[in-house]
Amino acid sequence: MRLDFPPKYTETIGSIKIHSLQKIYEIDSGNVVNSNNQRNNNTSTIAFDNRKLSKKCTKMAVVIPVKNEKLSLLEGVLSGIPNECLIIIVSNSQRTPVDRYAMEVEMVKQFSQFSNKRISIIHQRDPNLSRIFHKLNYTSILDQHSQVRRGKAEGMVIGILLAKMQEKEYVGFIDSDNYFPGAVNEYVKIFASGFAMSQSRMSNIRICWRSKPKVANNKVYFPRWGRVSEHSNKYLNDLISYITGYETDIITTGNAGEHALSMSLAENMQFASGYSVEPYELINILENFGGIIKESSRLHKDSVEIFQIETRNPHFHEDKGNDHIIGMLQESLSAINNSKICNTDITRDIKNHLLVLEQKTNQTSSRTGAISNNHLMDPIKTISMDKFNELVIDSPKLLHQFNASEI
Ligand code: GDP
Ligand code: CO
């Protein structure tokens, strides 16, 4: 893979480096004979060959959150993930009246026989898993009935834990409703390239889609921005402009569903529930490492690097309708708004925006328009991994692992 390097510009905030969007020139840049050739006499790009990417992939788990997606979609996503990666599927699919989770397990079992991939699958609402969290006193993932809450972010946190249990250094997230396995393959290679570029052990690689194709009036269109990212990018940029004092448009990946974290960073972060997880990731990094909040003591010890990389493949996923988009926008904006680092002007703008959305939902749909109060989950480094490991092993039906012997 060959991409822009160094990034065109970088915003430095406290110990965080946010790099501007990097473009890919070659998805496959061929074999690089020696490391000097990585730059190929060309000072503005860097190339990573398959050997280098493959090395990174062996240290990576790819977490796939899934909720009631078509089995063939999920299977396509699995087929796009390089063999070296450990795949962790965290499902919140229905169990009754039709047990869709059992269907997923069966599909994965068969698929892993043909593909020789290492795949683990778990159900996030499994009562055994809730019990484990209860025992470990990790209650921020539980609801009032001591059950693991629903939500994509909750699934992601479980995925990070399972990746940590298997001693993975990196964890990437890829949605299960992607129609193009080739795009999925590109995402993983982007994650691997991002980690290869990073100078810091704490890094976040965020994917910016080249386009999101839409069909309208019997024609295919290729709009660049989704309806949610446009707005969350704007407010995140407003926030960064306010912090640095210079107007910026550096953030292009506010709602990047596809993103990756080094474990050193992931285990230190708080995650916001549901769909606000991606924009909140940036907020949480700013809160913890930006040196903006006095009491955040972690500043200076470690630096965090954030890479944003633009795909060549378009992003084509399941269309979940207008209500879904509005709900996601509400959750994303309130995650930004609820932060201690958000100033009054931005808060006012966001509140007005939310009000308009609220009116829209009341007019156009059955959604109550309730804005999530952005529940936060504690950093997973607070969990004893030995104990977690032990408890998972003691619950034999909890985690299905295929081709596990090679893990
Ligand atoms: P969008 O692509 O951002 O509009 O959101 P999606 O509805 O496609 O969700 C992103 C991914 O998260 C998809 O793969 C969903 O199947 C999955 N997902 C959604 N809700 C949940 C959940 O409650 N738990 C888990 N584990 N996955 C979920
Ligand atoms: Co989707």
Side-chain angles (χ1 to χ4, degrees), residues 69 175-178 315 317-320 324 328:
E69 305 291 353
D175 288 351
S176 55
D177 62 339
N178 196 309
H315 184 77
H317 68 147
E318 192 75 342
D319 190 345
K320 308 237 162 90
H324 171 73
M328 186 175 272

Side-chain angles (χ1 to χ4, degrees), residues 199-265:
Q199 301 286 314
S200 164
R201 57 185 198 97
M202 298 222 199
S203 36
N204 177 203
I205 321 299
R206 307 175 70 88
I207 287 187
C208 180
W209 305 307
R210 174 67 166 251
S211 64
K212 283 181 109 175
K214 294 259 165 356
V215 178
N217 307 324
N218 285 334
K219 277 194 184 151
V220 186
Y221 295 90
F222 293 88
R224 184 146 157 70
W225 302 114
R227 283 178 286 171
V228 181
S229 9
E230 187 185 346
H231 301 293
S232 23
N233 288 343
K234 178 197 174 296
Y235 291 117
L236 286 164
N237 280 321
D238 285 352
L239 182 57
I240 292 174
S241 306
Y242 163 70
I243 294 166
T244 61
Y246 285 90
E247 201 173 332
T248 183
D249 56 1
I250 195 148
I251 300 292
T252 51
T253 57
N255 280 85
E258 273 66 33
H259 56 111
L261 294 162
S262 62
M263 190 56 77
S264 319
L265 179 58

